[in-house]
Amino acid sequence: MVSVDRLLAFAAMSFLLIVIPGPSVLFTVGRALAQGRRAALSSVAGNALGAYVLVVAVAFGIGAVVERSAVAFTVLKLAGAAYLVYLGVKAWRQRGSVPAAIDGEAARGSVRTLWEGFAVGVANPKTMVFFAAVLPQFVDPGIGHVAGQMMLLGLIFVGIALASDSAWGLGASAARDWFARSPGRLAVVGRIGGLSMIGLGVTVAVTGRKD
């Protein structure tokens, strides 16, 4: 079992990293502005699941491969960037649309946005490299179960990210609700959300390690 002081130290580091707006926040805000609260929260949940898959991958050694391989890092980075641009274009085309009123259609929409958030989260190479570099620093090899320790630490990170990203999503969707009182304003905010996701995708594609 990881000691309490290690858990608290990792939680503090994770909190400092998460509260500073980054790709996941921009993605959540963009989705909230483009499609509203339900889509934003579904995206947050999916993104968190994707991030935890990266934790498991790091715990069992895949993260170390990506950390050391420029080719693997670049492939994941470009895949994630392309998907973000695709989602941004999709949000732009659907700007100003009213969410489905039928429960079945709304449920299918939530599953779709959950999956899209998962795809973005699991295709984020920077998150994997962060976990690969940081998680081992808080593991105590002397007590064994190293993979289990990493997965426990990952749960802490994901829990903090869920709370923070949800707050951003709820705030952005509340602003969208105000804009929704006017169809013209809703179309504008939909464009902003779409453009923010496209811009994020381009930024992910052109930044990061070059080796």
Side-chain angles (χ1 to χ4, degrees), residues 63-83:
V65 174
V66 174
E67 185 183 21
R68 298 189 183 103
S69 171
V71 173
F73 182 93
T74 300
V75 168
L76 274 176
K77 180 179 75 169
L78 293 179
Y83 196 65

Side-chain angles (χ1 to χ4, degrees), residues 65-195:
V65 174
V66 174
E67 185 183 21
R68 298 189 183 103
S69 171
V71 173
F73 182 93
T74 300
V75 168
L76 274 176
K77 180 179 75 169
L78 293 179
Y83 196 65
L84 281 168
V85 171
Y86 162 75
L87 292 177
V89 171
K90 184 178 177 181
W92 175 278
R93 295 179 62 184
Q94 294 176 346
R95 63 191 183 277
S97 60
V98 179
I102 302 175
D103 290 341
E105 292 180 1
R108 286 194 292 272
S110 295
V111 172
R112 184 172 59 251
T113 53
L114 178 74
W115 166 250
E116 290 172 347
F118 174 84
V120 170
V122 81
N124 188 342
K126 292 183 179 180
T127 301
M128 178 174 280
V129 171
F130 168 78
F131 286 145
V134 173
L135 283 178
Q137 310 304 317
F138 293 88
V139 168
D140 183 359
I143 63 176
H145 305 290
V146 171
Q149 292 182 60
M150 288 187 178
M151 288 190 285
L152 175 60
L153 292 169
L155 280 176
I156 293 174
F157 181 95
V158 168
I160 296 173
L162 269 173
S164 176
D165 291 353
S166 294
W168 279 101
L170 290 172
S173 62
R176 180 183 187 272
D177 291 341
W178 181 83
F179 279 105
R181 296 172 190 170
S182 165
R185 288 184 299 194
L186 182 58
V188 169
V189 81
R191 291 189 185 100
I192 293 173
L195 285 174

Side-chain angles (χ1 to χ4, degrees), residues 22-63:
S24 64
V25 169
L26 293 177
F27 172 68
T28 299
V29 169
R31 179 51 61 85
L33 292 176
Q35 294 181 280
R37 181 176 61 227
R38 182 190 292 271
L41 294 181
S42 296
S43 298
V44 168
N47 193 278
L49 287 173
Y52 196 68
V53 167
L54 296 184
V55 172
V56 176
V58 167
F60 289 95
I62 299 175

